Amino acid sequence: MNRLSLTDISLKVWAVIVFIFLFLPIAVIIIYSFNEGRLLVAWNQFGFGSFGAIATKPAISDAVLVSIQTGFIAALIATALGTMAGVALARRAGKWAPWFLILLILVTVTPEIVDAVSLLPWMVFLGQDAGLSIFDDGIVRLVVGHSLFATAVVAYIVRSRLIGIDESLEEAAADLYAPPFKRFTQITLPLVMPAVLAGGLLSFTLSLDNTIVSAFVQVSGSTPWPVYVLSAVRTGLRPEIAAVSTIMLLLTLAALGLVAYVLRRAGDSPTDIAKTVGGG
Amino acid sequence: MTTITESPPASASGPRAPRSRTRRLKLPSFALAIPAWAWLFAFFVAPVALVVWFSFGYKPGIFGTHANDVLSFDRYAEALSPTFFATFQNTLWVGVVGTLICLAISIPFAYWLAFKAPVSRRGILLAMVMIPFWTNFLVRTIGWQIILAPSGLLSEALQSIGVLNEPLEILFTRTAVLIGVVYNYLPLMILPMFVAFDRVSLPMREASKDLGAGRLSTFVNVTLPLAKPGIIVGILLVYIPLMGDYITATVLGGAKGNMAGQMVANQFQTAQNWALGSAMAVVLVLTILTTVAIAALVAWLAAWPLRASQRLVLGGES
């Protein structure tokens, strides 16, 4: 009995240590966002100066706006493409399906840096050599770059949800002569709605977080927030960066909470939610 | 199940049934996947293929970035020359050690979360694992920069309790990169492993104990094998992005903690040698694929005697 509880206690201690490890840098960023010093790394004294300084620096709010705008459009595209692909994979899988799955897996396992260095010459080629000037636009480039991984993630989520749902409702609709499009919008889509919403919000956060691809494909004038931070890493980090990060952390938490709420209402257990939010 | 809805129009699609034929033409089974397929082809397959093509070219003069009129494997030889090879070695070291540390941290943690943590609080605990995962990657790495800096939190704390007599010199070394990557990719190991442990049903483990197996024996012979798929997913989810990491090494690595991702980025952004950068990117991807294949082979071979022995034990008991 004694040995038994000893294992349990050490496991619990381990869990506490892991949680401290997981939250340490986040806590540090939140605390340091109240740093009144000139440089982020050197703590001076407590104050709200950095939050006030955000308003005086248009570059910061511009970068955050670019990020939000990009995230929104990228999430819409990834959700639309990924949902259709996920439905096709779950309901109409034919000989093509394994090949398509391989493509999706390749998209997810390719290191982001490889995506980034391939998209840069490709955008230059499309925009200048092929004359498609739309690809010279900063937002378009960012949206394209952010939508790839997200499309694959949405497709996985939608597919795994739909596979778990019996197809009888859709069959009944077909038996009652509902045309395919109506069957899709009125039966299939409502069934997968929780997965679609979760996928959309995940795409949005993935886009907000994207640094590597953004750093390569961005055009000056539409710098997204993470790239702004990355250039500040090289030139000197100031407390405003931590302040904006704290605000954005709260926004991300709100988005995550919303995902969990939607999935919870759809009847998922915490484990299912973890699976969905974990991307597979 | 799909065949039921599709078979009536398919069987009636002879020359006599033009109406159902058009309906079938309107919706081939992969129609819904076409937009995603086309999108990924245009912006993933094509650009990556272009980079592979660049890797066989060369850099023409100071102002050119790439040329492909003479094709060769020279850029690959250059990418594997001693200077760059050391960085690939360094990347591989960080990748393998980092993944192993994540594994060592995650197994007891995920086990605790799946079997020991109070069920009512499991949702909130899982959410707590996910919060760092969804905090901006770059920002949490900067958090580590603050912690590990010579005048930073950890350094001062260690000095005040007398463990260290001088400032901590850990930032901008390989160790700092290792701490950073373990931190950044840990949730990707914990989540699939938790899901895998969670699937191993309690009755299964109880049956093992009822048959006289100890706790450790149950864990090694029942829980771990059943959770294997999730553990493998976790290892891949950590190892693959870790090998291509660019941000952690940039923020915490400095000159001593260089990784392959930075090297590729430098060729494209600073050196403007797209041909060499492309070859490095291809080498990086091949390194990842080869090491995963080798690891899979080793694991399979290592499990061979174990599988044989287990089969014997089971056979002997029944």
Side-chain angles (χ1 to χ4, degrees), chain A residues 161-184:
Chain A
R161 173 147 209 120
L162 210 49
I163 280 179
I165 299 175
D166 192 29
E167 210 179 336
S168 50
L169 272 178
E170 286 139 290
E171 278 162 14
D175 289 345
L176 294 169
Y177 295 103
F181 181 73
K182 215 168 182 179
R183 210 163 69 209
F184 180 74

Side-chain angles (χ1 to χ4, degrees), chain A residues 22 91 96 100 109 122 147 209, chain B residues 2 37 39 42 136 183 240:
Chain A
L22 284 174
R91 287 293 189 252
W96 57 274
F100 188 60
V109 301
W122 187 244
S147 66
D209 206 26
Chain B
T2 346
W37 184 282
W39 187 260
N136 189 295
Y183 176 80
I240 293 169

Side-chain angles (χ1 to χ4, degrees), chain B residues 113-192:
Chain B
L113 200 55
F115 298 121
K116 302 290 172 193
V119 179
S120 55
R121 277 195 228 135
R122 201 168 282 164
I124 196 87
L125 290 171
L126 272 174
M128 280 167 69
V129 175
M130 279 182 254
I131 286 170
F133 182 45
W134 293 109
T135 310
N136 189 295
F137 192 97
L138 181 55
V139 168
R140 49 192 159 126
T141 314
I142 291 171
W144 278 108
Q145 197 184 42
I146 298 175
I147 297 169
L148 299 176
S151 59
L153 283 176
L154 189 65
S155 175
E156 308 240 308
L158 288 178
Q159 282 178 80
S160 66
I161 58 168
V163 179
L164 281 177
N165 295 322
E166 51 204 29
L168 186 69
E169 295 294 341
I170 194 175
L171 190 62
F172 304 129
T173 63
R174 198 161 73 168
T175 316
V177 178
L178 195 61
I179 295 174
V181 293
V182 166
Y183 176 80
N184 278 330
Y185 297 103
L186 188 60
L188 287 173
M189 183 80 90
I190 292 176
L191 289 178

Side-chain angles (χ1 to χ4, degrees), chain A residues 4 7-8 11-12 14-16 18-19 21-26 28-29 32 40-41 77 81-82 84-85 87-88 91-94 96 99-100 103-104 106-107 109-115 117-126 135 143-144 147-148 151 166-167 170-171 174 177-181 183-184 202 205-206 208-209 211-212 215-216 225-227 229-230 233-234 237 241 245 249 252-253 256 270-271 273-275 277-278, chain B residues 1-2 4-6 23 27-33 35-37 39-48 50-51 54 104-106 108-109 111-113 116 119 122-123 125-147 149 151-153 179 182-183 186-188 190-191 194-195 198-199 215 237 240-241 243-247 250-251 261-262 264-266 268-269 274 277 281 284-285 288:
Chain A
L4 226 128
T7 335
D8 285 356
L11 278 173
K12 196 165 186 174
W14 185 247
V16 171
V18 172
F19 273 123
F21 179 63
L22 284 174
F23 279 89
L24 189 62
I26 297 172
V28 165
I29 285 289
Y32 272 65
L40 175 66
V41 182
I77 292 179
L81 295 176
M84 289 193 284
V87 169
R91 287 293 189 252
R92 325 193 103 243
W96 57 274
W99 297 103
F100 188 60
L103 176 64
L104 291 182
L106 275 179
V107 170
V109 301
T110 305
E112 214 185 333
I113 187 72
V114 176
D115 282 342
V117 298
S118 350
L119 274 171
L120 171 67
W122 187 244
M123 292 295 172
V124 173
F125 168 76
L126 287 179
F135 291 106
V143 164
V144 167
S147 66
L148 303 171
T151 300
D166 192 29
E167 210 179 336
E170 286 139 290
E171 278 162 14
Y177 295 103
F181 181 73
R183 210 163 69 209
F184 180 74
L202 286 186
T205 27
L206 279 174
L208 277 190
D209 206 26
T211 316
I212 305 182
F216 275 82
W225 169 244
V227 178
V229 179
L230 189 65
V233 168
R234 298 196 175 108
L237 288 161
I241 299 235
S245 302
L249 174 65
T252 314
L253 286 186
L256 257 182
T271 317
I273 297 176
K275 248 173 69 188
V277 181
Chain B
M1 281 308 226
T2 346
I4 296 173
T5 44
E6 280 173 6
R23 253 187 79 181
L27 266 185
S29 72
F30 50 84
L32 280 171
W37 184 282
W39 187 260
L40 294 177
F41 244 84
F43 299 114
F44 175 75
V45 177
V48 171
L50 190 68
V51 156
F54 283 166
I105 295 177
S106 301
F109 183 79
Y111 182 87
W112 173 81
L113 200 55
K116 302 290 172 193
V119 179
R122 201 168 282 164
L125 290 171
L126 272 174
M128 280 167 69
V129 175
M130 279 182 254
I131 286 170
F133 182 45
W134 293 109
T135 310
N136 189 295
F137 192 97
L138 181 55
V139 168
R140 49 192 159 126
T141 314
I142 291 171
W144 278 108
Q145 197 184 42
I146 298 175
I147 297 169
S151 59
L153 283 176
I179 295 174
V182 166
Y183 176 80
L186 188 60
L188 287 173
I190 292 176
L191 289 178
F194 163 75
V195 172
D198 195 55
R199 271 202 203 117
R215 286 168 64 103
L237 280 179
I240 293 169
M243 286 292 286
D245 191 83
Y246 163 72
I247 294 171
T250 305
V251 177
Q262 284 171 293
V264 175
N266 277 340
F268 274 84
Q269 288 184 317
W274 290 8
L284 176 62
V285 173
I288 295 174

